[in-house]
Amino acid sequence: MAKVHVSNILVSPQREPFCLPLKIQVFLECSTPPTEEVEFRVIYIGSAENSDYDQVLEDIMVPVKSVGSLSFEMTPEAPNYLKIPSIDDLLGVSALLVCAFYRGKEFFRCSYFVHNSYAEEIHEDFTKENFDINKVFRTIYAEKPRVTLMEVDWNDELSQLYGELIRLDQTDDLDMLRSANNKMFSELENPFQLNENSFLGSNMYVQQPKK
């Protein structure tokens, strides 16, 4: 069972200058405080053809110390347009990702389409060197995100249990090992507790299959 899940994310859907900082508000629900902080990362896709141009706009650690609701705000700086490889990648459709990790493992990703437009007509000789970045405006399609959920091991006691089992004689621990496996898969069978009341509706979620 997931100890922390993201119940909502708010981003500004208004058309605004590309160079303005973003404003992202995240809402969490905690059923059991995890032993370690949860990491949140905001990523801008600089080029659909090459992930090397992805830009991490913000990367923060969030302590979740109590049961119940929690919200926080991120205000990452705008992407560095000089690191975007071409004018075709800068203008048109791109994407913004809000990702959550526990112990380095991603368990939540919310993807938004972003449309960047130029305030004036674009001519044939228009290049990255002769345009005005202050005339570029972005629109985040906040009403149509795509959410992906991944399973992670929230059960800290399992790591301790397996650590103890590894030190036991292999001829004596088979029954205990099977019992631990059954316990783990039973607890992780429905970790997200999604339903039709989830903030995007259950049909908007994409749950990764178990590996």
Side-chain angles (χ1 to χ4, degrees), residues 103-132:
R103 290 180 169 173
K105 302 294 184 181
E106 184 178 16
F107 67 90
F108 175 89
R109 176 183 297 181
C110 187
S111 307
Y112 296 95
F113 284 114
V114 180
H115 183 263
N116 298 320
S117 58
Y118 200 65
E120 298 177 357
E121 182 180 355
I122 300 177
H123 302 285
E124 292 183 359
D125 61 348
F126 195 75
T127 66
K128 194 176 175 182
E129 287 70 33
N130 64 10
F131 82 106
D132 185 353

mmCIF file of all heavy atoms in Angstrom, residues 103-132:
data_model
loop_
_atom_site.group_PDB
_atom_site.id
_atom_site.type_symbol
_atom_site.label_atom_id
_atom_site.label_comp_id
_atom_site.label_asym_id
_atom_site.label_seq_id
_atom_site.Cartn_x
_atom_site.Cartn_y
_atom_site.Cartn_z
ATOM 1 N N ARG A 103 13.221 7.118 -2.339
ATOM 2 C CA ARG A 103 14.487 6.383 -2.341
ATOM 3 C C ARG A 103 15.032 6.211 -3.755
ATOM 4 O O ARG A 103 15.544 5.157 -4.120
ATOM 5 C CB ARG A 103 14.330 5.029 -1.658
ATOM 6 C CG ARG A 103 14.116 5.126 -0.151
ATOM 7 C CD ARG A 103 13.976 3.768 0.473
ATOM 8 N NE ARG A 103 14.022 3.842 1.922
ATOM 9 C CZ ARG A 103 13.785 2.809 2.727
ATOM 10 N NH1 ARG A 103 13.494 1.632 2.207
ATOM 11 N NH2 ARG A 103 13.852 2.949 4.035
ATOM 12 N N GLY A 104 14.888 7.260 -4.558
ATOM 13 C CA GLY A 104 15.434 7.232 -5.903
ATOM 14 C C GLY A 104 14.577 6.511 -6.921
ATOM 15 O O GLY A 104 14.921 6.480 -8.111
ATOM 16 N N LYS A 105 13.440 5.946 -6.516
ATOM 17 C CA LYS A 105 12.546 5.224 -7.420
ATOM 18 C C LYS A 105 11.317 6.078 -7.729
ATOM 19 O O LYS A 105 10.629 6.535 -6.813
ATOM 20 C CB LYS A 105 12.107 3.894 -6.808
ATOM 21 C CG LYS A 105 13.271 2.965 -6.451
ATOM 22 C CD LYS A 105 14.023 2.495 -7.684
ATOM 23 C CE LYS A 105 15.102 1.493 -7.321
ATOM 24 N NZ LYS A 105 15.861 1.031 -8.500
ATOM 25 N N GLU A 106 11.046 6.285 -9.000
ATOM 26 C CA GLU A 106 9.914 7.109 -9.394
ATOM 27 C C GLU A 106 8.601 6.361 -9.159
ATOM 28 O O GLU A 106 8.462 5.209 -9.575
ATOM 29 C CB GLU A 106 10.037 7.490 -10.867
ATOM 30 C CG GLU A 106 8.953 8.443 -11.346
ATOM 31 C CD GLU A 106 9.139 8.843 -12.801
ATOM 32 O OE1 GLU A 106 9.913 8.151 -13.511
ATOM 33 O OE2 GLU A 106 8.506 9.827 -13.237
ATOM 34 N N PHE A 107 7.645 7.026 -8.497
ATOM 35 C CA PHE A 107 6.343 6.402 -8.264
ATOM 36 C C PHE A 107 5.190 7.223 -8.839
ATOM 37 O O PHE A 107 4.046 6.750 -8.864
ATOM 38 C CB PHE A 107 6.110 6.142 -6.770
ATOM 39 C CG PHE A 107 5.970 7.376 -5.915
ATOM 40 C CD1 PHE A 107 4.727 7.949 -5.694
ATOM 41 C CD2 PHE A 107 7.074 7.952 -5.315
ATOM 42 C CE1 PHE A 107 4.588 9.084 -4.904
ATOM 43 C CE2 PHE A 107 6.960 9.077 -4.518
ATOM 44 C CZ PHE A 107 5.712 9.646 -4.308
ATOM 45 N N PHE A 108 5.469 8.423 -9.311
ATOM 46 C CA PHE A 108 4.404 9.280 -9.846
ATOM 47 C C PHE A 108 4.985 10.191 -10.908
ATOM 48 O O PHE A 108 6.081 10.743 -10.749
ATOM 49 C CB PHE A 108 3.791 10.116 -8.723
ATOM 50 C CG PHE A 108 2.770 11.128 -9.192
ATOM 51 C CD1 PHE A 108 1.433 10.796 -9.296
ATOM 52 C CD2 PHE A 108 3.166 12.414 -9.537
ATOM 53 C CE1 PHE A 108 0.504 11.727 -9.737
ATOM 54 C CE2 PHE A 108 2.247 13.344 -9.974
ATOM 55 C CZ PHE A 108 0.907 13.001 -10.071
ATOM 56 N N ARG A 109 4.238 10.343 -12.021
ATOM 57 C CA ARG A 109 4.631 11.301 -13.061
ATOM 58 C C ARG A 109 3.379 11.923 -13.663
ATOM 59 O O ARG A 109 2.454 11.222 -14.063
ATOM 60 C CB ARG A 109 5.435 10.621 -14.164
ATOM 61 C CG ARG A 109 5.792 11.560 -15.313
ATOM 62 C CD ARG A 109 6.535 10.846 -16.430
ATOM 63 N NE ARG A 109 7.819 10.335 -15.954
ATOM 64 C CZ ARG A 109 8.667 9.679 -16.747
ATOM 65 N NH1 ARG A 109 8.361 9.455 -18.004
ATOM 66 N NH2 ARG A 109 9.822 9.250 -16.252
ATOM 67 N N CYS A 110 3.367 13.237 -13.718
ATOM 68 C CA CYS A 110 2.276 13.982 -14.341
ATOM 69 C C CYS A 110 2.872 14.771 -15.509
ATOM 70 O O CYS A 110 3.769 15.594 -15.319
ATOM 71 C CB CYS A 110 1.616 14.918 -13.335
ATOM 72 S SG CYS A 110 0.124 15.732 -13.967
ATOM 73 N N SER A 111 2.364 14.519 -16.711
ATOM 74 C CA SER A 111 2.903 15.125 -17.929
ATOM 75 C C SER A 111 1.900 16.107 -18.515
ATOM 76 O O SER A 111 0.728 15.775 -18.685
ATOM 77 C CB SER A 111 3.216 14.047 -18.966
ATOM 78 O OG SER A 111 4.040 13.041 -18.420
ATOM 79 N N TYR A 112 2.385 17.304 -18.821
ATOM 80 C CA TYR A 112 1.552 18.341 -19.434
ATOM 81 C C TYR A 112 2.125 18.711 -20.805
ATOM 82 O O TYR A 112 3.340 18.893 -20.948
ATOM 83 C CB TYR A 112 1.534 19.609 -18.580
ATOM 84 C CG TYR A 112 0.927 19.457 -17.219
ATOM 85 C CD1 TYR A 112 1.732 19.190 -16.107
ATOM 86 C CD2 TYR A 112 -0.448 19.595 -17.024
ATOM 87 C CE1 TYR A 112 1.178 19.065 -14.839
ATOM 88 C CE2 TYR A 112 -1.004 19.465 -15.758
ATOM 89 C CZ TYR A 112 -0.183 19.198 -14.676
ATOM 90 O OH TYR A 112 -0.726 19.072 -13.432
ATOM 91 N N PHE A 113 1.239 18.862 -21.784
ATOM 92 C CA PHE A 113 1.667 19.442 -23.041
ATOM 93 C C PHE A 113 1.843 20.948 -22.858
ATOM 94 O O PHE A 113 1.072 21.601 -22.148
ATOM 95 C CB PHE A 113 0.646 19.170 -24.148
ATOM 96 C CG PHE A 113 0.690 17.771 -24.676
ATOM 97 C CD1 PHE A 113 -0.378 16.907 -24.484
ATOM 98 C CD2 PHE A 113 1.802 17.310 -25.365
ATOM 99 C CE1 PHE A 113 -0.340 15.617 -24.965
ATOM 100 C CE2 PHE A 113 1.846 16.012 -25.850
ATOM 101 C CZ PHE A 113 0.777 15.164 -25.644
ATOM 102 N N VAL A 114 2.863 21.486 -23.507
ATOM 103 C CA VAL A 114 3.147 22.923 -23.477
ATOM 104 C C VAL A 114 3.228 23.414 -24.911
ATOM 105 O O VAL A 114 3.901 22.794 -25.744
ATOM 106 C CB VAL A 114 4.472 23.212 -22.749
ATOM 107 C CG1 VAL A 114 4.748 24.713 -22.719
ATOM 108 C CG2 VAL A 114 4.447 22.650 -21.327
ATOM 109 N N HIS A 115 2.545 24.511 -25.196
ATOM 110 C CA HIS A 115 2.627 25.108 -26.539
ATOM 111 C C HIS A 115 3.288 26.478 -26.430
ATOM 112 O O HIS A 115 2.821 27.353 -25.699
ATOM 113 C CB HIS A 115 1.249 25.245 -27.177
ATOM 114 C CG HIS A 115 1.308 25.782 -28.573
ATOM 115 N ND1 HIS A 115 1.113 27.108 -28.882
ATOM 116 C CD2 HIS A 115 1.581 25.153 -29.749
ATOM 117 C CE1 HIS A 115 1.250 27.285 -30.184
ATOM 118 N NE2 HIS A 115 1.531 26.114 -30.736
ATOM 119 N N ASN A 116 4.389 26.660 -27.159
ATOM 120 C CA ASN A 116 5.106 27.930 -27.190
ATOM 121 C C ASN A 116 4.863 28.612 -28.533
ATOM 122 O O ASN A 116 5.051 28.009 -29.595
ATOM 123 C CB ASN A 116 6.605 27.706 -26.990
ATOM 124 C CG ASN A 116 6.918 27.092 -25.640
ATOM 125 O OD1 ASN A 116 6.311 27.446 -24.635
ATOM 126 N ND2 ASN A 116 7.858 26.169 -25.613
ATOM 127 N N SER A 117 4.457 29.864 -28.478
ATOM 128 C CA SER A 117 4.146 30.609 -29.703
ATOM 129 C C SER A 117 4.913 31.926 -29.720
ATOM 130 O O SER A 117 5.361 32.419 -28.679
ATOM 131 C CB SER A 117 2.643 30.876 -29.803
ATOM 132 O OG SER A 117 2.190 31.604 -28.671
ATOM 133 N N TYR A 118 5.048 32.496 -30.918
ATOM 134 C CA TYR A 118 5.756 33.763 -31.084
ATOM 135 C C TYR A 118 4.733 34.861 -31.331
ATOM 136 O O TYR A 118 3.729 34.657 -32.030
ATOM 137 C CB TYR A 118 6.736 33.679 -32.254
ATOM 138 C CG TYR A 118 7.828 34.714 -32.208
ATOM 139 C CD1 TYR A 118 8.771 34.704 -31.190
ATOM 140 C CD2 TYR A 118 7.929 35.704 -33.180
ATOM 141 C CE1 TYR A 118 9.791 35.651 -31.135
ATOM 142 C CE2 TYR A 118 8.945 36.649 -33.142
ATOM 143 C CZ TYR A 118 9.873 36.620 -32.111
ATOM 144 O OH TYR A 118 10.875 37.558 -32.055
ATOM 145 N N ALA A 119 4.979 36.033 -30.761
ATOM 146 C CA ALA A 119 3.980 37.108 -30.806
ATOM 147 C C ALA A 119 3.867 37.754 -32.179
ATOM 148 O O ALA A 119 2.900 38.478 -32.436
ATOM 149 C CB ALA A 119 4.312 38.168 -29.762
ATOM 150 N N GLU A 120 4.832 37.492 -33.061
ATOM 151 C CA GLU A 120 4.810 38.087 -34.395
ATOM 152 C C GLU A 120 4.870 36.997 -35.449
ATOM 153 O O GLU A 120 5.139 35.827 -35.149
ATOM 154 C CB GLU A 120 5.992 39.051 -34.566
ATOM 155 C CG GLU A 120 5.972 40.220 -33.599
ATOM 156 C CD GLU A 120 7.205 41.103 -33.749
ATOM 157 O OE1 GLU A 120 8.092 40.745 -34.572
ATOM 158 O OE2 GLU A 120 7.286 42.123 -33.051
ATOM 159 N N GLU A 121 4.641 37.382 -36.669
ATOM 160 C CA GLU A 121 4.714 36.420 -37.769
ATOM 161 C C GLU A 121 6.147 35.916 -37.924
ATOM 162 O O GLU A 121 7.109 36.675 -37.834
ATOM 163 C CB GLU A 121 4.251 37.072 -39.071
ATOM 164 C CG GLU A 121 4.244 36.129 -40.253
ATOM 165 C CD GLU A 121 3.779 36.817 -41.520
ATOM 166 O OE1 GLU A 121 3.380 37.993 -41.447
ATOM 167 O OE2 GLU A 121 3.838 36.171 -42.588
ATOM 168 N N ILE A 122 6.275 34.641 -38.171
ATOM 169 C CA ILE A 122 7.587 34.030 -38.323
ATOM 170 C C ILE A 122 7.960 33.996 -39.806
ATOM 171 O O ILE A 122 7.208 33.478 -40.637
ATOM 172 C CB ILE A 122 7.595 32.606 -37.744
ATOM 173 C CG1 ILE A 122 7.251 32.640 -36.248
ATOM 174 C CG2 ILE A 122 8.946 31.943 -37.966
ATOM 175 C CD1 ILE A 122 7.162 31.282 -35.617
ATOM 176 N N HIS A 123 9.117 34.549 -40.156
ATOM 177 C CA HIS A 123 9.572 34.589 -41.540
ATOM 178 C C HIS A 123 10.518 33.433 -41.824
ATOM 179 O O HIS A 123 10.987 32.742 -40.919
ATOM 180 C CB HIS A 123 10.259 35.930 -41.817
ATOM 181 C CG HIS A 123 9.378 37.116 -41.564
ATOM 182 N ND1 HIS A 123 8.366 37.488 -42.422
ATOM 183 C CD2 HIS A 123 9.344 38.007 -40.530
ATOM 184 C CE1 HIS A 123 7.752 38.557 -41.945
ATOM 185 N NE2 HIS A 123 8.331 38.891 -40.794
ATOM 186 N N GLU A 124 10.814 33.248 -43.089
ATOM 187 C CA GLU A 124 11.663 32.135 -43.504
ATOM 188 C C GLU A 124 13.073 32.247 -42.931
ATOM 189 O O GLU A 124 13.725 31.229 -42.663
ATOM 190 C CB GLU A 124 11.736 32.061 -45.032
ATOM 191 C CG GLU A 124 10.407 31.665 -45.678
ATOM 192 C CD GLU A 124 10.531 31.517 -47.185
ATOM 193 O OE1 GLU A 124 11.647 31.738 -47.696
ATOM 194 O OE2 GLU A 124 9.530 31.188 -47.819
ATOM 195 N N ASP A 125 13.560 33.462 -42.766
ATOM 196 C CA ASP A 125 14.918 33.650 -42.259
ATOM 197 C C ASP A 125 14.965 33.706 -40.722
ATOM 198 O O ASP A 125 15.960 34.087 -40.127
ATOM 199 C CB ASP A 125 15.526 34.935 -42.832
ATOM 200 C CG ASP A 125 14.720 36.178 -42.437
ATOM 201 O OD1 ASP A 125 13.587 36.015 -41.932
ATOM 202 O OD2 ASP A 125 15.226 37.302 -42.645
ATOM 203 N N PHE A 126 13.888 33.301 -40.102
ATOM 204 C CA PHE A 126 13.772 33.333 -38.642
ATOM 205 C C PHE A 126 14.672 32.251 -38.058
ATOM 206 O O PHE A 126 14.544 31.070 -38.376
ATOM 207 C CB PHE A 126 12.314 33.091 -38.259
ATOM 208 C CG PHE A 126 11.987 33.443 -36.826
ATOM 209 C CD1 PHE A 126 11.867 34.754 -36.437
ATOM 210 C CD2 PHE A 126 11.771 32.452 -35.885
ATOM 211 C CE1 PHE A 126 11.550 35.085 -35.129
ATOM 212 C CE2 PHE A 126 11.454 32.774 -34.584
ATOM 213 C CZ PHE A 126 11.343 34.093 -34.212
ATOM 214 N N THR A 127 15.622 32.637 -37.205
ATOM 215 C CA THR A 127 16.530 31.689 -36.570
ATOM 216 C C THR A 127 16.596 31.965 -35.078
ATOM 217 O O THR A 127 16.084 32.971 -34.573
ATOM 218 C CB THR A 127 17.955 31.800 -37.150
ATOM 219 O OG1 THR A 127 18.503 33.079 -36.801
ATOM 220 C CG2 THR A 127 17.949 31.638 -38.665
ATOM 221 N N LYS A 128 17.268 31.061 -34.389
ATOM 222 C CA LYS A 128 17.418 31.201 -32.948
ATOM 223 C C LYS A 128 18.242 32.428 -32.580
ATOM 224 O O LYS A 128 18.139 32.967 -31.488
ATOM 225 C CB LYS A 128 18.072 29.933 -32.392
ATOM 226 C CG LYS A 128 17.983 29.780 -30.890
ATOM 227 C CD LYS A 128 18.575 28.452 -30.477
ATOM 228 C CE LYS A 128 18.608 28.328 -28.974
ATOM 229 N NZ LYS A 128 19.231 27.054 -28.553
ATOM 230 N N GLU A 129 19.066 32.879 -33.530
ATOM 231 C CA GLU A 129 19.954 34.010 -33.264
ATOM 232 C C GLU A 129 19.290 35.374 -33.491
ATOM 233 O O GLU A 129 19.763 36.380 -32.984
ATOM 234 C CB GLU A 129 21.208 33.908 -34.143
ATOM 235 C CG GLU A 129 22.186 32.809 -33.710
ATOM 236 C CD GLU A 129 21.657 31.408 -33.956
ATOM 237 O OE1 GLU A 129 20.923 31.220 -34.954
ATOM 238 O OE2 GLU A 129 21.970 30.513 -33.147
ATOM 239 N N ASN A 130 18.208 35.431 -34.270
ATOM 240 C CA ASN A 130 17.629 36.741 -34.600
ATOM 241 C C ASN A 130 16.191 36.915 -34.102
ATOM 242 O O ASN A 130 15.441 37.705 -34.644
ATOM 243 C CB ASN A 130 17.694 36.997 -36.116
ATOM 244 C CG ASN A 130 16.850 36.004 -36.906
ATOM 245 O OD1 ASN A 130 16.080 35.239 -36.337
ATOM 246 N ND2 ASN A 130 17.000 36.015 -38.221
ATOM 247 N N PHE A 131 15.811 36.162 -33.088
ATOM 248 C CA PHE A 131 14.469 36.330 -32.542
ATOM 249 C C PHE A 131 14.566 36.915 -31.142
ATOM 250 O O PHE A 131 15.636 36.939 -30.529
ATOM 251 C CB PHE A 131 13.714 34.999 -32.531
ATOM 252 C CG PHE A 131 14.046 34.135 -31.340
ATOM 253 C CD1 PHE A 131 13.142 33.993 -30.303
ATOM 254 C CD2 PHE A 131 15.265 33.471 -31.248
ATOM 255 C CE1 PHE A 131 13.443 33.207 -29.206
ATOM 256 C CE2 PHE A 131 15.575 32.687 -30.152
ATOM 257 C CZ PHE A 131 14.663 32.557 -29.139
ATOM 258 N N ASP A 132 13.440 37.382 -30.647
ATOM 259 C CA ASP A 132 13.371 38.000 -29.322
ATOM 260 C C ASP A 132 12.660 37.032 -28.376
ATOM 261 O O ASP A 132 11.460 36.781 -28.526
ATOM 262 C CB ASP A 132 12.622 39.333 -29.413
ATOM 263 C CG ASP A 132 12.614 40.086 -28.095
ATOM 264 O OD1 ASP A 132 13.075 39.524 -27.076
ATOM 265 O OD2 ASP A 132 12.131 41.241 -28.081
#
